C-alpha cells in the first residue's frame, strides 16, 4: 500500500459531503444548546448531561473509526503501530468522557477531587498519542537506532519542564487561587501536551499536504486551542476580561472542543474511504 505523503485524492464522495454536512449541523446544534441551555429551567443536571452526550458521541465515533483504520493494516506492517496507538489514545479519551458522567453523578454541585480517574485517562491519552506521533515520525525520518527513543522522552521532559515554568508564572500572576500547586501543575500539563502534540500534528500537516494520512491528526490542533482557553479560565482568567468577552470566548472554546472530535471523525472517514477505494481499484480486473 502506498503511504507516501504525496498519496493524495482530491475527489469528494457524496458520502463524505453528507457526513461533513452532518458534522456542521451537529456543531451548530451543540453551540446553540451550550449557549441557550434550553433544559436548564427543567433540570440543570439533565441539561449538562445532554451537552456531555453531544460531546461523547463524536468521541465514540472517532474511536470506532480509528479501529477501522487500524484494521486496514497487518500487525507486521509499520503503519499498524501508528494507527494502533492512535486508536488507543482516542479510546482513553472516550473513557475519560464516560467517567465524567460517573463523577458528575456523585459530585454534582460539589467540586471534584483534585486528581481523579478522569485525569488518568487524559494523561494516558496524551502519552499514547505522543507514542503514535513518535511512530509516525519514525516512518518518515530515519534516525540512528540508538537515538530513536531519546526523541520521545526528550519531548516529554521538555513538556513537563515547560508546564513547571507556566505553573510558576500562573501563581505569580495570581491565577489558580484556592487550588493546590499539584492541581495547578496538572491543569497546565494538559494545554502544554496539547501544544507539543498539536505542533507535531501541524508538522505532519505540512509534510503530508492534503494527503489522507495527515488528516486524522488535525483534531489535536483544535484541542490545543480549546484546552488552553478552558484551563486559563478555570484558573481564574475570566477575571481579566469582561463578561461579554468571556461568554464569547468560552462558547468558542466549547464549540472548538467538539469540533476537534468532529474534525478527526471526518478525517478518519476520508482515510478509510481512500484506502477502501484503493483496495477496490487494485482488486478490479485490468
Amino acid at each position: 500500500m502506498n503511504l507516501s505523503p504525496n498519496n493524495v485524492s482530491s475527489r469528494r464522495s457524496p458520502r463524505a459531503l453528507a457526513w461533513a454536512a452532518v458534522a456542521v449541523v451537529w456543531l451548530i446544534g451543540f453551540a446553540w444548546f451550550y449557549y441557550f441551555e434550553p433544559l436548564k429551567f427543567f433540570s440543570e443536571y439533565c441539561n449538562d448531561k445532554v451537552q456531555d452526550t453531544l460531546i461523547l458521541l463524536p468521541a465514540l465515533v472517532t474511536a470506532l473509526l480509528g479501529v477501522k483504520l487500524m484494521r486496514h493494516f497487518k500487525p507486521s506492517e509499520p503503519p499498524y503501530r501508528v494507527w494502533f496507538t492512535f486508536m488507543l489514545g482516542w479510546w482513553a479519551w472516550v473513557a475519560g468522557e464516560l467517567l465524567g458522567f460517573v463523577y458528575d453523578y456523585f459530585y454534582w454541585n460539589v467540586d471534584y477531587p483534585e486528581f481523579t480517574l478522569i485525569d488518568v485517562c487524559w494523561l494516558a491519552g496524551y502519552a499514547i498519542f505522543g507514542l503514535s506521533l513518535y511512530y509516525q515520525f519514525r516512518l518518515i525520518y530515519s534516525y540512528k537506532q540508538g537515538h530513536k527513543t531519546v526523541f520521545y522522552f526528550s519531548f516529554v521532559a521538555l513538556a513537563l519542564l515547560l508546564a513547571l515554568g507556566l505553573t510558576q508564572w500562573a501563581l505569580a500572576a495570581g491565577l489558580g487561587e484556592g487550588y493546590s500547586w499539584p492541581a495547578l501543575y496538572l491543569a497546565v500539563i494538559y494545554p502544554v501536551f496539547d501544544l507539543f502534540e498539536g505542533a507535531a500534528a501541524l508538522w505532519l500537516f505540512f509534510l503530508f499536504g492534503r494527503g489522507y494520512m495527515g488528516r486524522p491528526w488535525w483534531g489535536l490542533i483544535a484541542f490545543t486551542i480549546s484546552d488552553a482557553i478552558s484551563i486559563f479560565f478555570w484558573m481564574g482568567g475570566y477575571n481579566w476580561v469582561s463578561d461579554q468577552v468571556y461568554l464569547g470566548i468560552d462558547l468558542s472554546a466549547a464549540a472548538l472542543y467538539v469540533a476537534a472530535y468532529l474534525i478527526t471523525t471526518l478525517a478518519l472517514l476520508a482515510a478509510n474511504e481512500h484506502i477502501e477505494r484503493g483496495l477496490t481499484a487494485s482488486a478490479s480486473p485490468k
Side-chain angles (χ1 to χ4, degrees), residues 12-155:
R12 297 290 184 270
S13 70
R15 184 173 63 174
L17 294 174
W19 278 110
V22 170
V24 170
V25 172
W26 191 280
L27 184 60
I28 293 173
F30 172 82
W32 178 86
F33 200 96
Y34 185 89
Y35 184 81
F36 290 104
E37 299 181 313
L39 300 180
K40 187 174 182 179
F41 295 105
F42 171 71
S43 170
E44 188 171 350
Y45 177 83
C46 182
N47 191 89
D48 186 74
K49 291 308 101 191
V50 171
Q51 289 181 19
D52 289 346
T53 301
L54 292 174
I55 297 172
L56 174 63
L57 291 179
L60 184 60
V61 172
T62 297
L64 290 171
L65 288 172
V67 174
K68 185 177 181 181
L69 180 61
M70 175 202 69
R71 288 180 174 174
H72 286 298
F73 302 94
K74 298 177 181 179
S76 59
E77 294 180 300
Y80 180 86
R81 289 193 300 179
V82 175
W83 302 115
F84 176 73
T85 49
F86 183 79
M87 174 269 298
L88 287 181
W90 289 112
W91 279 112
W93 282 6
V94 167
E97 302 287 2
L98 286 169
L99 282 171
F101 284 79
V102 177
Y103 275 85
D104 278 352
Y105 179 80
F106 290 102
Y107 292 96
W108 184 248
N109 288 328
V110 179
D111 289 338
Y112 279 15
E114 289 190 342
F115 187 79
T116 67
L117 291 175
I118 300 175
D119 295 297
V120 174
C121 292
W122 295 147
L123 292 173
Y126 283 118
I128 298 169
F129 280 130
L131 191 60
S132 183
L133 286 162
Y134 164 70
Y135 287 142
Q136 180 65 82
F137 280 110
R138 278 185 58 176
L139 290 180
I140 300 173
Y141 298 104
S142 297
Y143 297 117
K144 293 181 179 180
Q145 183 68 28
H147 296 285
K148 287 180 178 179
T149 56
V150 171
F151 286 96
Y152 176 74
F153 290 108
S154 296
F155 277 110

Side-chain angles (χ1 to χ4, degrees), residues 59-286:
L60 184 60
V61 172
T62 297
L64 290 171
L65 288 172
V67 174
K68 185 177 181 181
L69 180 61
M70 175 202 69
R71 288 180 174 174
H72 286 298
F73 302 94
K74 298 177 181 179
S76 59
E77 294 180 300
Y80 180 86
R81 289 193 300 179
V82 175
W83 302 115
F84 176 73
T85 49
F86 183 79
M87 174 269 298
L88 287 181
W90 289 112
W91 279 112
W93 282 6
V94 167
E97 302 287 2
L98 286 169
L99 282 171
F101 284 79
V102 177
Y103 275 85
D104 278 352
Y105 179 80
F106 290 102
Y107 292 96
W108 184 248
N109 288 328
V110 179
D111 289 338
Y112 279 15
E114 289 190 342
F115 187 79
T116 67
L117 291 175
I118 300 175
D119 295 297
V120 174
C121 292
W122 295 147
L123 292 173
Y126 283 118
I128 298 169
F129 280 130
L131 191 60
S132 183
L133 286 162
Y134 164 70
Y135 287 142
Q136 180 65 82
F137 280 110
R138 278 185 58 176
L139 290 180
I140 300 173
Y141 298 104
S142 297
Y143 297 117
K144 293 181 179 180
Q145 183 68 28
H147 296 285
K148 287 180 178 179
T149 56
V150 171
F151 286 96
Y152 176 74
F153 290 108
S154 296
F155 277 110
V156 172
L158 184 60
L160 293 175
L161 286 173
L162 179 59
L164 179 63
L166 289 174
T167 301
Q168 294 303 116
W169 171 83
L171 289 171
L175 296 171
E177 185 177 352
Y179 295 99
S180 68
W181 189 92
L184 287 177
Y185 182 63
L186 178 63
V188 172
I189 281 177
Y190 293 146
V192 170
F193 280 170
D194 279 325
L195 177 63
F196 274 73
E197 294 184 356
L202 189 61
W203 190 351
L204 289 175
F205 167 75
F206 289 114
L207 287 174
F208 284 103
R210 294 185 299 117
Y212 77 93
M213 293 302 290
R215 298 174 191 174
W217 306 101
W218 293 356
L220 295 180
I221 302 172
F223 275 120
T224 301
I225 303 171
S226 175
D227 285 349
I229 295 172
S230 298
I231 294 300
F232 175 71
F233 284 151
W234 176 81
M235 291 191 299
Y238 53 82
N239 291 319
W240 293 19
V241 297
S242 66
D243 290 343
Q244 292 79 7
V245 171
Y246 165 71
L247 290 173
I249 297 178
D250 179 66
L251 174 62
S252 300
L256 191 58
Y257 185 86
V258 179
Y261 281 123
L262 294 172
I263 289 169
T264 310
T265 295
L266 294 175
L268 288 171
L269 281 167
N272 278 296
E273 184 176 359
H274 184 102
I275 293 175
E276 290 162 2
R277 189 164 57 234
L279 292 174
T280 301
S282 62
S284 61
K286 301 296 183 181

